[in-house]
Amino acid sequence: MDNQSLHVPSVYIIILNYNNPEDTIACVEEAEKISYGNFKIVIVDNKSTDNSEALLKEKFPHHTFFQTGANLGYAGGNNIGMKYAKDQGADYICVLNNDVITNPDFLQKLLDYLEANPKVGVVGPRVCEYDEPHIVQSTGAMIDFHTGRVNIINNGVHEDQLKGEIIPCDYVGGACLLFNSNILEKVGYFPEDYFLFYEETEWCLEIKKKGFGVICYCDAKVVHKGSASINQISGLSEYFMYRNVVIFMKRNAKLNQRLVFYSYSMLYAIYRGLIKKEGLKFINYFYHGLTEKNKYDKKL
């Protein structure tokens, strides 16, 4: 038996916290039950303003903990953990949202799939609803490059319909994804200027541009509660969702697609301005997307 056959790939699991220690504790406690034998958990705190740091350090002194010193958003916070994992020689990196509860065998299944398919750049599990764990939330998504709309695959489907399914897609959601750390040398880390939403979308698209697959492997499963921390600032999620789709399309769509999208977006913004109270804010979202401004820059 040679040394290669004895190698058990190392996996570093990155879990990002922001003012939500309860979910993070539940996530880490379930992740500790993973059946795969060679993994480490890295907890990153995005400068929470509550007592998250003290609670997490006290609860998990045996796991690596990083304090970012500023709220760096989804990409910036996760990138700190990913860079540490890469520096430590991780074979694989798993990015796991803190509001995700894992099945014990999810990592083994995803890892086996990647090991058998080296041309796949990133893989995600089927993601099911926390309150209805047999109902699928997502098995990846496709992007309409004329409207900017994201079409979530198998949303609302019962998981029994997806046994054995292997689904190529434009991106797998950042709630849970696994990749060989070497892919970072080809595509880099998550783009940090989105702050929230579309960073993993663009990152997965870059993986596809480099000739690698983006896959949802449905035999692996996690459940996802939702986005508790993003709703702590009023209007935060709405602002970044609409602003960032404009940035994403400006960067990634073809010229003819962008022209259609810009027309569609401006008409939508004007329509919302006419029929909704405070609807004119959508014009502001569009403008901030085009100019890549961030109204929350000094507040987070």
Side-chain angles (χ1 to χ4, degrees):
M1 186 177 292
D2 59 27
N3 290 334
Q4 183 68 26
S5 63
L6 293 173
H7 179 66
V8 179
S10 60
V11 182
Y12 279 62
I13 300 172
I14 315 302
I15 300 174
L16 180 65
N17 177 77
Y18 177 71
N19 286 351
N20 191 11
E22 294 82 7
D23 275 351
T24 301
I25 288 170
C27 177
V28 174
E29 287 180 337
E30 290 304 308
E32 289 176 332
K33 301 173 186 176
I34 289 170
S35 58
Y36 184 70
N38 188 16
F39 72 92
K40 296 182 184 297
I41 294 174
V42 178
I43 303 169
V44 181
D45 185 72
N46 241 347
K47 201 178 182 185
S48 295
T49 56
D50 60 8
N51 60 343
S52 285
E53 180 171 355
L55 283 174
L56 295 171
K57 283 182 172 180
E58 180 181 4
K59 184 73 175 177
F60 305 114
H62 48 294
H63 296 314
T64 300
F65 180 91
F66 284 101
Q67 173 55 252
T68 64
N71 187 352
L72 304 179
Y74 172 88
N78 277 306
N79 281 348
I80 284 179
M82 288 158 59
K83 288 170 183 175
Y84 170 77
K86 182 70 171 168
D87 289 344
Q88 294 298 305
D91 295 307
Y92 291 88
I93 298 172
C94 176
V95 174
L96 189 67
N97 268 17
N98 71 326
D99 59 350
V100 163
I101 300 297
T102 53
N103 274 20
D105 63 355
F106 95 98
L107 185 57
Q108 183 73 66
K109 289 182 175 181
L110 293 181
L111 186 59
D112 287 347
Y113 181 80
L114 278 184
E115 288 270 283
N117 296 276
K119 287 302 291 178
V120 171
V122 61
V123 64
R126 74 180 185 272
V127 179
C128 291
E129 300 286 355
Y130 180 77
D131 293 328
E132 296 182 273
H134 297 297
I135 301 301
V136 173
Q137 188 178 97
S138 171
T139 57
M142 302 299 290
I143 304 159
D144 183 336
F145 278 97
H146 289 96
T147 65
R149 290 183 178 273
V150 170
N151 300 309
I152 299 173
I153 302 170
N154 289 315
N155 176 251
V157 168
H158 195 284
E159 64 180 359
D160 286 350
Q161 299 181 38
L162 300 176
K163 289 181 179 178
E165 289 288 317
I166 297 169
I167 301 174
C169 51
D170 285 337
Y171 77 93
V172 286
C176 180
L177 47 84
L178 178 71
F179 54 93
N180 190 307
S181 63
N182 289 336
I183 202 73
L184 296 172
E185 298 166 12
K186 299 176 174 64
V187 301
Y189 292 84
F190 291 154
E192 296 187 10
D193 40 0
Y194 284 102
F195 187 81
L196 183 70
F197 301 129
Y198 284 93
E199 50 274 278
E200 80 270 27
T201 310
E202 184 166 285
W203 187 76
C204 286
L205 203 62
E206 191 64 27
I207 288 174
K208 292 184 74 172
K209 289 176 182 177
K210 297 294 185 181
F212 293 89
V214 175
I215 297 292
C216 178
Y217 182 57
C218 293
D219 278 357
K221 174 184 177 177
V222 302
V223 298
H224 185 210
K225 295 179 183 179
S227 299
S229 59
I230 68 171
N231 295 316
Q232 294 179 25
I233 300 176
S234 178
L236 180 72
S237 56
E238 180 183 84
Y239 173 79
F240 281 111
M241 182 64 74
Y242 284 97
R243 166 193 178 265
N244 287 356
V245 67
V246 179
I247 296 175
F248 174 81
M249 293 293 286
K250 184 175 72 169
R251 292 182 181 180
N252 296 286
K254 298 176 182 177
L255 176 60
N256 63 318
Q257 294 170 331
R258 291 200 304 273
L259 292 175
V260 173
F261 171 73
Y262 290 155
S263 300
Y264 171 84
S265 297
M266 277 305 299
L267 288 172
Y268 178 78
I270 293 168
Y271 169 74
R272 291 297 294 260
L274 291 173
I275 69 164
K276 292 284 187 180
K277 183 180 179 181
E278 299 182 1
L280 289 174
K281 63 187 176 183
F282 286 87
I283 294 176
N284 200 42
Y285 298 163
F286 182 71
Y287 171 71
H288 279 206
L290 286 176
T291 58
E292 301 195 23
K293 290 186 176 182
N294 180 1
K295 77 172 187 177
Y296 287 100
D297 192 38
K298 304 300 182 184
K299 302 177 184 179
L300 295 168

